[in-house]
């Protein structure tokens, strides 16, 4: 399974193919300057090649995807496409399968992210047109911050405005913050739910996030990605009064202010030499005052947020640096991390300076061994996070589709399986069972013959024998039957009769005292290997089956899966269980394997003793 990840931004378009199981790149491609005459297409490790004429997003995507697919040795291995979408508004709080309604909703949200959502949408439309038969999934940059508490997401405006669902703090870079928080927790060998993390995504766009026990509870970007930290070309926080001042005293229009704060400010504006921190650091080292100030203001703002977020969470276990600047600039990390001792964070300057993250997923520590708060550097990988989210959605919807196949449920009344030797003891030498009617499992039948079963307390006068004969004697009864007979039988899979109680059987030609063999049959589903593949289960898995649509709906847990070529799909329960669910003829159940693990467990120990041959 491979996932194609498309990140269609306003001026660049990235498309990666990732192996689902390993996260490894299968192919990687970038188009720069989309929408201009200078657009170029670059495959990993190759020189960029110019794209013809002025290429819009749609054409760029068509050209690039076609070329990308041509390069793949097995384009059929792509099973889904994940799209990065910047703004999911209040509606999208997790990744979703894209359909026409989702597409329309993303379009409506363009008003909130005019630079990003239209480009994301163009990518989605072009990709859906080119690959219509594959599932497309939207993964939102805002979704991780859906957990921001009200106090953190509301602007202190008059309440009619403050409570407008479209006028609130949304936060961005959620895909990256969530990914590095998970990476950091793995590195610390801890559960995210036990950690208070501050993740600092410091790239051309930059934001900080307070991740308290796995949830984003505060982040520095707001309604738009302009709020918060100083960025490559964005100012981040300013006094809103500055806007009116610039409008009144300097004649700025709204459009001009937008351009000023989004494109002309930040590191680029302060340094006067552009937004690339490498250049700014080099010039600062030569004594350029503007560049030195740019670095100081950038670091100061990050420190301010770290202090604030530690205060909000009442402490912090780890501070994580990521993205272009966070992963690569030892100077910026040093400036940010110095004098954080009051938070218990002591940075190790040598480790910081010498740090080179290895390729692939990587987390390294830059704090001293005794630092109470860890300082970590983690490589972010939004494309990998999108691929993971996409495959999860696709697997989930597959599981739901699988679960749609109904499983016939049959109620077995008490019955007995006998060996040929027992048949002859009870019915006479050379006696053969007489088939009365076929059972659903191929080759199995209910016999004409019945037996008297005598327990310590009561007896059943006519218990049906099922054929053909087997290698073990086994009486299968319900819990209610146990009380009636006065014995205590264990719940067992068929054939697993060791240490079960015995009972007296009385036939027309003789009696047989069984030493063992009375069980309460463990509810189970018979299925073929094809069925097992369809449901995504294996022999001896334990699953849940829901019985719905009746007046006593219930979900059976602890249902054993038995797989054999000769089986027919059917679940077997006893009369107590059937009555509990008020089951009639033709009843069906639904295998619950959606989101798997909780319901579907393998229990090797208890059932390894099951002798399938005995069935
Ligand atoms: P991103 O948006 O995550 O790609 O980050 C881009 C930013 O990372 C740019 O400002 C780059 O100058 C900065 N960057 C990348 N490598 C380095 C480095 N070795 N030293 C300083 N800044 C770097």
């Amino acid at each position: 399974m491979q996932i194609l990840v498309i990140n269609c931004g306003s001026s660049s378009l990235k498309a990666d193919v990732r192996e689902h199981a390993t996260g490894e790149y299968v192919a990687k491609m970038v188009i720069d300057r989309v929408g201009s005459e200078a657009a170029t297409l670059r495959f990993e490790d190759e020189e960029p090649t110019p794209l013809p004429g002025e290429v819009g997003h749609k054409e760029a995507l068509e050209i690039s995807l076609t070329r990308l697919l041509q390069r793949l040795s097995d384009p059929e291995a792509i099973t889904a496409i994940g799209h990065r979408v910047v703004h999911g508004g209040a509606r999208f709080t997790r990744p979703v399968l894209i359909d026409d309604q989702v597409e329309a909703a993303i379009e409506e949200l363009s008003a909130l992210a005019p630079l990003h959502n239209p480009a994301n949408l163009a990518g989605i439309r072009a990709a859906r047109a080119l690959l219509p038969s594959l599932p497309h999934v939207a993964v939102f940059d805002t979704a991780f911050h859906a957990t921001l508490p009200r106090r953190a997401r509301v602007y202190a405006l008059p309440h009619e405005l403050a409570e407008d669902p479209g006028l609130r703090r949304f936060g961005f870079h959620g895909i990256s913050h969530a990914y590095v928080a998970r990476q950091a927790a793995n590195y610390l060998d801890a559960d995210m739910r036990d950690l208070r993390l501050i993740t600092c995504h410091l790239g051309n766009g930059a934001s900080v996030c307070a991740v308290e026990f796995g949830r984003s509870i505060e982040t520095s970007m707001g309604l738009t990605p302009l709020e918060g930290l100083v960025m490559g070309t964005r100012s981040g926080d300013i006094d809103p009064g500055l806007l009116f001042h610039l409008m009144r005293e300097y004649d700025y229009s709204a459009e001009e202010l937008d351009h000023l704060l989004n494109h002309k400010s930040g590191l680029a504006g302060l340094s006067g030499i552009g937004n690339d921190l490498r250049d700014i650091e080099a010039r600062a080292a030569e004594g350029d005052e503007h560049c030195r100030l740019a670095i100081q203001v950038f670091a100061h703002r990050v420190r301010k947020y770290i202090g604030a977020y530690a205060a909000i969470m009442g402490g912090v276990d780890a501070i994580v640096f990521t993205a272009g600047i966070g992963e690569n600039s030892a100077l910026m990390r040093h400036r940010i991390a110095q004098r954080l001792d009051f938070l218990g964070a002591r940075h190790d300057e040598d480790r910081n300076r010498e740090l080179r993250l290895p390729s692939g997923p990587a987390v390294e520590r830059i704090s001293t061994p005794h630092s109470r708060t860890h300082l970590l550097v983690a490589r972010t990988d939004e494309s990998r996070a999108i691929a993971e989210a996409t495959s999860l959605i696709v697997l989930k919807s597959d599981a739901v589709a699988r679960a749609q196949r109904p499983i016939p449920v049959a109620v077995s009344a008490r019955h007995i399986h006998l060996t040929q030797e027992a048949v002859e003891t009870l019915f006479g030498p050379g006696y053969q069972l007489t088939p009365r009617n076929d059972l659903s499992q191929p080759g199995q039948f209910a016999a004409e013959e019945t037996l008297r079963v005598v327990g310590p307390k009561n007896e059943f006068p006519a218990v049906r024998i099922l054929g053909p004969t087997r290698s073990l004697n086994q009486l299968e009864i319900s819990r209610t039957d146990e009380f009636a007979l006065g014995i205590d039988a264990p719940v067992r899979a068929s054939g697993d009769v060791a240490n079960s109680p015995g009972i007296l059987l009385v036939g027309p030609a003789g009696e047989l005292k069984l030493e063992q063999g009375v069980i309460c049959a463990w509810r189970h589903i018979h299925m073929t290997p094809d069925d097992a593949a369809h449901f995504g289960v294996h022999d001896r898995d334990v699953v849940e089956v829901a019985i719905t649509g009746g007046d006593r709906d219930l979900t059976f847990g602890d249902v054993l899966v038995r797989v054999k070529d000769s089986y027919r799909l059917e679940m077997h329960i006893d009369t107590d269980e059937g009555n509990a669910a008020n089951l009639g003829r033709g009843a069906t159940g639904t295998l619950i394997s959606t989101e798997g693990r909780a319901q579907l467990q393998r229990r090797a120990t208890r059932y390894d003793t099951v002798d399938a041959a005995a069935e």
Side-chain angles (χ1 to χ4, degrees), residues 201-205 267 275-278 281 323-325 328-329:
H201 178 107
L202 310 178
N204 199 30
L267 288 175
N275 60 349
D276 194 322
L277 184 67
R278 284 165 291 205
E281 285 183 0
I325 294 172
N328 298 299
S329 174

Side-chain angles (χ1 to χ4, degrees), residues 531-601:
D531 294 322
H534 172 84
F535 288 114
V537 295
H538 300 90
D539 190 37
R540 300 181 197 203
D541 279 349
V542 177
V543 297
E544 289 188 356
V545 174
I547 311 284
T548 52
D551 48 5
R552 295 186 90 187
D553 287 358
L554 65 77
T555 297
F556 287 110
D558 213 22
V559 182
L560 178 67
V561 171
R562 299 314 316 262
V563 182
K564 224 188 230 183
D565 280 324
S566 58
Y567 284 159
R568 216 186 83 187
L569 181 65
E570 193 169 61
M571 174 166 163
H572 288 175
I573 56 179
D574 67 23
T575 43
D576 282 356
E577 294 165 327
N579 291 339
N582 217 10
L583 280 190
R585 276 188 180 280
T588 58
T590 307
L591 183 83
I592 305 176
S593 58
T594 353
E595 281 189 87
R597 282 146 268 167
Q599 288 91 10
L600 179 66
Q601 354 160 352

